[in-house]
Amino acid sequence: MINRDSVNKEELSQNQQSSENNFEQWYRFIKDHGFAWKGILSRYDGEGKITEVLDSTRKFTCASDASEIEHYLNFVNSEDSSKTIEKQWIIEKCGPGIVHPVDPESTIMFSSQGSGIMSRPGREYAEIYLIEGKFRISTVISYNPKNKCVLAKISLFREVKQQESSFPWSKEKLEITNREYPSLEVINSSMLRFGTFDEIPVSDKAVDWIEDNRLNFNFPDGISLNVPNTLNPSAETHLILSWRYSENRIKRVIAQFSSDSPGANLITQECKIT
């Protein structure tokens, strides 16, 4: 004889677990990013020439019941403090992927390795995030669909938690410079899959950084970006953000677009310089 009360409790437990899994990305977002940040936004054109430098303040303020997050941004022109821009959004609890009101067509997802990505079906732009300790970097890569989908601009955020008294980032208006690429040993590699949002180990084969028809941008503070010069919205391609965050360690994030998916898979590699 079936114990109906026992069955109902079991179903309730399974439903609760399913609900928690559905919001795993939401709680990871709060855990990793839900702070106040101060930093620098540097904007570059598609050839790597710097066009603007802004001091930035970012705040992710979570409601007490975690039902929503207020996202606040403030930009101050580094050469004229009277020029400021403020932006503010309310992000409502959602899952399994995160939808930001700045672009409802995009999906944001975060790995357990401190990386994340916002990608959209048209691939006109993507934003890649990377956190290491008290530091946060992100880059927005934008292509021009009206001009053969050539690279149009890059925005680079370098941020630190606001309570930190020291400011670790280079404040000079540095142009992109050439940099030698060290040989690496990949010690950990995982993929967060778009759509299913599950995270799996993948081959630790190092990425071929130098390829034809791709551009290498070497930013200040050990940050590098490798992207295609032009983007085919329906072909397989990848965007690579690399950050040398310590003397002998590099984190690398690869946004992997395939021909059969509207969003990007996210590969995160922890690398040791050999």
Side-chain angles (χ1 to χ4, degrees):
M1 181 178 180
I2 298 175
N3 185 327
R4 179 61 57 187
D5 183 56
S6 174
V7 171
N8 289 340
K9 287 180 180 178
E10 183 178 339
E11 289 177 350
L12 179 60
S13 176
Q14 290 174 346
N15 290 337
Q16 287 174 335
Q17 184 63 46
S18 176
S19 177
E20 286 302 305
N21 291 341
N22 196 49
F23 293 112
E24 181 179 17
Q25 290 287 313
W26 179 255
Y27 293 117
R28 186 175 289 167
F29 178 25
I30 294 171
K31 173 180 173 289
D32 289 349
H33 297 260
F35 304 93
W37 305 84
K38 58 184 177 183
I40 302 173
L41 166 60
S42 303
R43 288 177 171 150
Y44 301 83
D45 64 18
E47 297 180 349
K49 183 179 179 181
I50 198 161
T51 59
E52 190 174 29
V53 177
L54 304 173
D55 296 326
S56 68
T57 301
R58 182 194 305 271
K59 295 179 181 177
F60 292 108
T61 305
C62 182
S64 58
D65 61 353
S67 61
E68 63 182 28
I69 297 171
E70 179 187 278
H71 183 189
Y72 169 82
L73 271 175
N74 176 271
F75 302 116
V76 179
N77 190 294
S78 60
E79 296 181 345
D80 184 353
S81 59
S82 67
K83 296 179 180 179
T84 63
I85 302 172
E86 283 189 306
K87 297 183 178 183
Q88 188 172 342
W89 305 272
I90 297 296
I91 309 171
E92 297 181 349
K93 185 177 181 180
C94 51
I98 310 297
V99 178
H100 196 297
V102 73
D103 183 6
E105 292 186 19
S106 293
T107 301
I108 307 173
M109 59 182 193
F110 302 102
S111 77
S112 62
Q113 308 301 313
S115 60
I117 185 171
M118 172 191 277
S119 61
R120 71 191 322 269
R123 304 187 192 178
E124 300 96 322
Y125 72 88
E127 183 168 10
I128 302 174
Y129 318 97
L130 192 51
I131 285 179
E132 179 60 37
K134 60 188 177 183
F135 306 114
R136 180 184 193 271
I137 66 171
S138 64
T139 181
V140 182
I141 305 109
S142 303
Y143 288 84
N144 187 348
K146 297 180 181 179
N147 183 22
K148 301 179 182 179
C149 273
V150 299
L151 183 66
K153 57 186 178 180
I154 301 166
S155 297
L156 173 67
F157 285 93
R158 291 167 288 153
E159 299 169 307
V160 64
K161 288 181 179 178
Q162 195 170 53
Q163 71 265 25
E164 295 297 322
S165 57
S166 62
F167 194 78
W169 307 115
S170 304
K171 297 204 71 172
E172 297 84 358
K173 289 180 63 174
L174 298 177
E175 300 292 336
I176 294 175
T177 59
N178 291 324
R179 180 181 300 145
E180 292 185 3
Y181 295 98
S183 58
L184 301 176
E185 176 188 352
V186 179
I187 57 178
N188 184 46
S189 187
S190 63
M191 176 191 286
L192 179 63
R193 295 193 287 192
F194 181 84
T196 60
F197 302 96
D198 58 329
E199 200 163 359
I200 59 172
V202 292
S203 168
D204 60 1
K205 181 181 178 182
V207 175
D208 183 7
W209 187 258
I210 307 299
E211 293 182 12
D212 293 336
N213 300 317
R214 293 183 68 85
L215 301 172
N216 297 315
F217 298 102
N218 301 309
F219 300 108
D221 300 309
I223 301 165
S224 300
L225 184 68
N226 180 286
V227 295
N229 182 28
T230 59
L231 189 68
N232 183 338
S234 60
E236 294 187 5
T237 190
H238 51 277
L239 315 173
I240 311 171
L241 176 64
S242 182
W243 179 20
R244 185 171 184 167
Y245 66 89
S246 73
E247 186 65 28
N248 63 348
R249 288 296 179 94
I250 285 178
K251 267 194 172 180
R252 182 165 286 172
V253 184
I254 305 163
Q256 183 187 71
F257 289 93
S258 64
S259 57
D260 58 354
S261 175
N265 294 326
L266 185 69
I267 298 174
T268 309
Q269 294 182 330
E270 180 75 25
C271 306
K272 181 171 65 174
I273 298 173
T274 58

Short mmCIF file of all heavy atoms in Angstrom, two decimals, residues 56-80:
data_model
loop_
_atom_site.label_atom_id
_atom_site.label_comp_id
_atom_site.label_asym_id
_atom_site.label_seq_id
_atom_site.Cartn_x
_atom_site.Cartn_y
_atom_site.Cartn_z
N SER A 56 34.65 54.84 -12.87
CA SER A 56 33.35 54.18 -12.75
C SER A 56 33.07 53.72 -11.32
O SER A 56 33.98 53.36 -10.58
CB SER A 56 33.26 52.97 -13.71
OG SER A 56 34.13 51.94 -13.30
N THR A 57 31.80 53.75 -10.97
CA THR A 57 31.30 53.15 -9.74
C THR A 57 30.15 52.23 -10.11
O THR A 57 29.24 52.63 -10.84
CB THR A 57 30.80 54.22 -8.75
OG1 THR A 57 31.87 55.10 -8.43
CG2 THR A 57 30.28 53.57 -7.47
N ARG A 58 30.20 51.01 -9.63
CA ARG A 58 29.15 50.03 -9.92
C ARG A 58 28.65 49.46 -8.60
O ARG A 58 29.44 49.10 -7.73
CB ARG A 58 29.71 48.90 -10.79
CG ARG A 58 28.68 47.84 -11.18
CD ARG A 58 29.37 46.60 -11.75
NE ARG A 58 30.25 46.90 -12.86
CZ ARG A 58 29.87 46.94 -14.14
NH1 ARG A 58 28.60 46.70 -14.44
NH2 ARG A 58 30.75 47.19 -15.09
N LYS A 59 27.33 49.33 -8.47
CA LYS A 59 26.77 48.72 -7.27
C LYS A 59 25.68 47.73 -7.67
O LYS A 59 24.78 48.04 -8.43
CB LYS A 59 26.17 49.80 -6.35
CG LYS A 59 27.18 50.78 -5.77
CD LYS A 59 26.50 51.82 -4.89
CE LYS A 59 27.50 52.82 -4.33
NZ LYS A 59 26.83 53.88 -3.52
N PHE A 60 25.81 46.51 -7.14
CA PHE A 60 24.75 45.51 -7.23
C PHE A 60 24.14 45.39 -5.83
O PHE A 60 24.78 44.88 -4.91
CB PHE A 60 25.29 44.16 -7.67
CG PHE A 60 25.79 44.12 -9.08
CD1 PHE A 60 27.15 44.04 -9.36
CD2 PHE A 60 24.91 44.14 -10.16
CE1 PHE A 60 27.63 43.98 -10.66
CE2 PHE A 60 25.37 44.09 -11.47
CZ PHE A 60 26.73 44.01 -11.71
N THR A 61 22.92 45.88 -5.65
CA THR A 61 22.26 45.86 -4.34
C THR A 61 21.11 44.87 -4.37
O THR A 61 20.14 45.03 -5.12
CB THR A 61 21.73 47.26 -3.96
OG1 THR A 61 22.80 48.20 -4.03
CG2 THR A 61 21.17 47.25 -2.55
N CYS A 62 21.23 43.82 -3.57
CA CYS A 62 20.25 42.74 -3.57
C CYS A 62 19.14 43.01 -2.56
O CYS A 62 19.41 43.46 -1.43
CB CYS A 62 20.95 41.42 -3.25
SG CYS A 62 19.88 39.99 -3.27
N ALA A 63 17.89 42.74 -2.93
CA ALA A 63 16.77 42.85 -2.00
C ALA A 63 16.93 41.82 -0.89
O ALA A 63 17.58 40.79 -1.06
CB ALA A 63 15.45 42.65 -2.73
N SER A 64 16.34 42.09 0.27
CA SER A 64 16.51 41.21 1.44
C SER A 64 16.02 39.79 1.17
O SER A 64 16.55 38.83 1.74
CB SER A 64 15.77 41.80 2.64
OG SER A 64 14.39 41.97 2.36
N ASP A 65 15.02 39.64 0.30
CA ASP A 65 14.52 38.30 -0.02
C ASP A 65 15.10 37.77 -1.33
O ASP A 65 14.63 36.74 -1.85
CB ASP A 65 12.99 38.32 -0.09
CG ASP A 65 12.46 39.25 -1.18
OD1 ASP A 65 13.28 39.98 -1.80
OD2 ASP A 65 11.23 39.25 -1.41
N ALA A 66 16.12 38.46 -1.87
CA ALA A 66 16.80 38.05 -3.11
C ALA A 66 15.86 38.00 -4.31
O ALA A 66 16.15 37.32 -5.29
CB ALA A 66 17.51 36.71 -2.93
N SER A 67 14.77 38.76 -4.26
CA SER A 67 13.81 38.74 -5.36
C SER A 67 14.21 39.65 -6.51
O SER A 67 13.69 39.52 -7.62
CB SER A 67 12.42 39.16 -4.86
OG SER A 67 12.45 40.48 -4.35
N GLU A 68 15.13 40.60 -6.25
CA GLU A 68 15.58 41.50 -7.29
C GLU A 68 16.93 42.10 -6.91
O GLU A 68 17.33 42.08 -5.74
CB GLU A 68 14.56 42.61 -7.56
CG GLU A 68 14.32 43.53 -6.38
CD GLU A 68 13.27 44.60 -6.67
OE1 GLU A 68 12.38 44.34 -7.50
OE2 GLU A 68 13.37 45.69 -6.07
N ILE A 69 17.61 42.61 -7.91
CA ILE A 69 18.91 43.27 -7.72
C ILE A 69 18.85 44.62 -8.40
O ILE A 69 18.45 44.72 -9.57
CB ILE A 69 20.06 42.43 -8.30
CG1 ILE A 69 20.18 41.09 -7.57
CG2 ILE A 69 21.38 43.20 -8.22
CD1 ILE A 69 21.16 40.14 -8.23
N GLU A 70 19.26 45.65 -7.68
CA GLU A 70 19.39 46.96 -8.29
C GLU A 70 20.82 47.09 -8.81
O GLU A 70 21.79 46.92 -8.09
CB GLU A 70 19.12 48.07 -7.28
CG GLU A 70 19.27 49.47 -7.87
CD GLU A 70 19.17 50.56 -6.81
OE1 GLU A 70 18.03 50.92 -6.46
OE2 GLU A 70 20.23 51.01 -6.34
N HIS A 71 20.93 47.40 -10.10
CA HIS A 71 22.24 47.58 -10.75
C HIS A 71 22.42 49.07 -11.03
O HIS A 71 21.69 49.66 -11.82
CB HIS A 71 22.31 46.77 -12.04
CG HIS A 71 23.63 46.84 -12.73
ND1 HIS A 71 23.84 46.33 -14.00
CD2 HIS A 71 24.83 47.35 -12.34
CE1 HIS A 71 25.10 46.54 -14.35
NE2 HIS A 71 25.71 47.16 -13.36
N TYR A 72 23.41 49.67 -10.38
CA TYR A 72 23.68 51.11 -10.51
C TYR A 72 25.06 51.31 -11.11
O TYR A 72 26.03 50.65 -10.71
CB TYR A 72 23.60 51.78 -9.13
CG TYR A 72 24.10 53.21 -9.10
CD1 TYR A 72 23.28 54.27 -9.50
CD2 TYR A 72 25.39 53.50 -8.67
CE1 TYR A 72 23.74 55.57 -9.47
CE2 TYR A 72 25.86 54.80 -8.64
CZ TYR A 72 25.03 55.84 -9.04
OH TYR A 72 25.50 57.14 -9.02
N LEU A 73 25.15 52.22 -12.07
CA LEU A 73 26.43 52.58 -12.68
C LEU A 73 26.57 54.09 -12.71
O LEU A 73 25.61 54.81 -13.02
CB LEU A 73 26.52 52.05 -14.11
CG LEU A 73 27.08 50.64 -14.33
CD1 LEU A 73 26.96 50.27 -15.80
CD2 LEU A 73 28.53 50.54 -13.89
N ASN A 74 27.78 54.56 -12.39
CA ASN A 74 28.07 55.98 -12.48
C ASN A 74 29.42 56.15 -13.17
O ASN A 74 30.41 55.51 -12.79
CB ASN A 74 28.11 56.61 -11.08
CG ASN A 74 28.52 58.07 -11.13
OD1 ASN A 74 29.69 58.42 -11.06
ND2 ASN A 74 27.53 58.95 -11.23
N PHE A 75 29.46 57.00 -14.20
CA PHE A 75 30.69 57.26 -14.93
C PHE A 75 31.05 58.74 -14.80
O PHE A 75 30.18 59.60 -14.95
CB PHE A 75 30.54 56.93 -16.41
CG PHE A 75 30.15 55.50 -16.70
CD1 PHE A 75 28.94 55.21 -17.29
CD2 PHE A 75 31.00 54.46 -16.37
CE1 PHE A 75 28.58 53.90 -17.58
CE2 PHE A 75 30.65 53.15 -16.64
CZ PHE A 75 29.44 52.87 -17.24
N VAL A 76 32.33 59.00 -14.55
CA VAL A 76 32.82 60.38 -14.48
C VAL A 76 33.99 60.50 -15.44
O VAL A 76 34.94 59.71 -15.38
CB VAL A 76 33.28 60.77 -13.06
CG1 VAL A 76 33.80 62.19 -13.03
CG2 VAL A 76 32.13 60.59 -12.07
N ASN A 77 33.92 61.48 -16.34
CA ASN A 77 35.01 61.70 -17.28
C ASN A 77 36.29 62.04 -16.53
O ASN A 77 36.30 62.94 -15.70
CB ASN A 77 34.64 62.83 -18.25
CG ASN A 77 35.62 62.96 -19.40
OD1 ASN A 77 36.78 63.29 -19.21
ND2 ASN A 77 35.14 62.67 -20.60
N SER A 78 37.36 61.29 -16.81
CA SER A 78 38.61 61.46 -16.06
C SER A 78 39.27 62.81 -16.32
O SER A 78 40.11 63.25 -15.53
CB SER A 78 39.58 60.32 -16.38
OG SER A 78 39.88 60.31 -17.76
N GLU A 79 38.90 63.47 -17.42
CA GLU A 79 39.50 64.77 -17.74
C GLU A 79 38.59 65.93 -17.42
O GLU A 79 39.03 67.08 -17.41
CB GLU A 79 39.88 64.80 -19.23
CG GLU A 79 40.97 63.78 -19.58
CD GLU A 79 41.35 63.84 -21.04
OE1 GLU A 79 40.58 64.45 -21.82
OE2 GLU A 79 42.40 63.29 -21.41
N ASP A 80 37.31 65.64 -17.17
CA ASP A 80 36.36 66.71 -16.84
C ASP A 80 35.30 66.11 -15.91
O ASP A 80 34.33 65.50 -16.36
CB ASP A 80 35.70 67.26 -18.11
CG ASP A 80 34.78 68.44 -17.83
OD1 ASP A 80 34.54 68.75 -16.64
OD2 ASP A 80 34.30 69.05 -18.80
#
